[in-house]
Amino acid sequence: MFLTNWQGLIGLILVILFFASAIFAPWIAPYDPNALDVPSRLSGPTWDHPAGTDQLGRDTLSRLLYGGRVALKIAAIGVSVALVVGLILGMIAGFGPRWLDNLLLLAFDTVRAFPTIVLALAMVALTGPSLGMVLAIVIITSIPQYARVARTATLTLKNTDFILAERSLGASMTRTLLHHVMPNVVGPLLILAAMDVPVVVTVEAGLSFLGLGVLPPTASWGTILNEGYLVIRDAPWMVIAGGIPLILTTLGFTFLGEALRDVFDPRMGKGR
């Protein structure tokens, strides 16, 4: 059972906390994340400011909560779009003619050959840093891995008896893919998506840290880490507070993904 797995339970709790804190940030945050309080700048953790304040006197805890909303938006939209597009392209590659399979594989390998940072620099040069640019990078770089998993699973199912029987009855490729292949392919992709969320969150934070993602004054975990790094000798709590959500989010989705993998494929759990 899923709930008897302690890692899965911890992961589920951390994931729920991540979603709840991001969704209800406007009601949970004690202050406006962009409200300036210069006299209180760089103050340490207190009852009024549990995570301290930054160099402009803004409440760090409030900015962390609103930064979670940015991370959730990027992860939810980016992973969902990449999963759907990758699923469609992967099934087409696995079920279609050989020349189409080779063409799509070439496209997947070409995209994966570009390092994320290099691609981000190229896109920033063309469009400038923005939330939409980060989202586009996440989607473009994530599609190939979902497509490859879907392609492999489709190739495995392609010559099974129930697929051959369906095709012999005159079923179209679209019907076969939607009604018979997709239900058997979605499971592994959902596991991959759960374990890919912390990667996407880290990519967004890394790009924002480098100034290639979310622009100030919008709160983001990456910008909070960047601002904290600049004053780390005077206010180390900003870096610590900014790193804790990234660590907990990574652990939560990793534990949850491993637990889901054990549910969908019990053989993996027995082998560990």
Side-chain angles (χ1 to χ4, degrees), residues 15-140:
V15 168
I16 291 175
L17 288 176
F18 168 66
F19 277 93
S21 62
I23 294 172
F24 298 107
W27 296 274
I28 299 176
Y31 302 94
D32 184 330
N34 297 321
L36 304 182
D37 185 9
V38 177
S40 300
R41 63 186 298 270
L42 298 180
S43 66
T46 62
W47 286 110
D48 292 331
H49 302 283
T53 60
D54 63 8
Q55 63 270 37
L56 297 177
R58 296 173 297 188
D59 181 64
T60 303
L61 176 60
S62 299
R63 291 183 61 77
L64 287 173
L65 291 172
Y66 274 85
R69 292 173 68 86
V70 174
L72 176 60
K73 182 177 181 179
I74 294 292
I77 298 177
V79 171
S80 298
V81 174
L83 188 152
V84 172
V85 176
L87 171 62
I88 295 173
L89 293 179
M91 290 193 303
I92 292 174
F95 212 81
R98 186 64 176 270
W99 65 268
L100 182 58
D101 183 23
N102 292 334
L103 182 62
L104 289 173
L105 281 178
L106 178 62
F108 300 154
D109 292 339
T110 301
V111 173
R112 295 294 293 175
F114 283 95
T116 302
I117 297 300
V118 174
L119 182 61
L121 289 172
M123 294 186 68
V124 166
L126 294 174
T127 65
S130 65
L131 186 63
M133 189 274 295
V134 175
L135 192 57
I137 291 174
V138 167
I139 293 173
I140 292 172

Side-chain angles (χ1 to χ4, degrees), residues 75 79-80 82-83 86-87 112 141-151 185-200 253-254 256-258 260-261 264:
V79 171
S80 298
L83 188 152
L87 171 62
R112 295 294 293 175
T141 56
S142 299
I143 286 175
Q145 62 181 342
Y146 292 104
R148 279 191 165 275
V149 173
R151 172 186 174 272
V185 174
V186 168
L189 290 184
L190 292 178
I191 299 172
L192 179 60
M195 303 190 74
D196 199 35
V197 168
V199 177
V200 171
F253 279 97
T254 300
L256 181 62
E258 291 183 351
L260 289 175
R261 183 188 61 187
F264 281 101

Side-chain angles (χ1 to χ4, degrees), residues 136-253:
I137 291 174
V138 167
I139 293 173
I140 292 172
T141 56
S142 299
I143 286 175
Q145 62 181 342
Y146 292 104
R148 279 191 165 275
V149 173
R151 172 186 174 272
T152 302
T154 301
L155 287 173
T156 303
L157 295 168
K158 186 176 181 179
N159 295 318
T160 54
D161 292 339
F162 72 97
I163 296 295
L164 293 175
E166 184 74 12
R167 296 178 67 184
S168 66
L169 293 174
S172 64
M173 185 179 77
T174 302
R175 175 180 173 80
T176 303
L177 290 177
L178 292 179
H179 292 274
H180 300 283
V181 175
M182 188 172 67
N184 292 283
V185 174
V186 168
L189 290 184
L190 292 178
I191 299 172
L192 179 60
M195 303 190 74
D196 199 35
V197 168
V199 177
V200 171
V201 171
T202 304
V203 168
E204 182 275 321
L207 292 176
S208 297
F209 179 85
L210 296 174
L212 305 176
V214 178
L215 293 176
T218 303
S220 166
W221 292 344
T223 56
I224 293 172
L225 286 173
N226 178 271
E227 294 164 355
Y229 175 76
L230 297 176
V231 293
I232 191 171
R233 294 182 181 275
D234 299 320
W237 54 84
M238 286 183 61
V239 174
I240 296 174
I244 289 176
L246 283 172
I247 294 173
L248 294 180
T249 301
T250 300
L251 286 176
F253 279 97

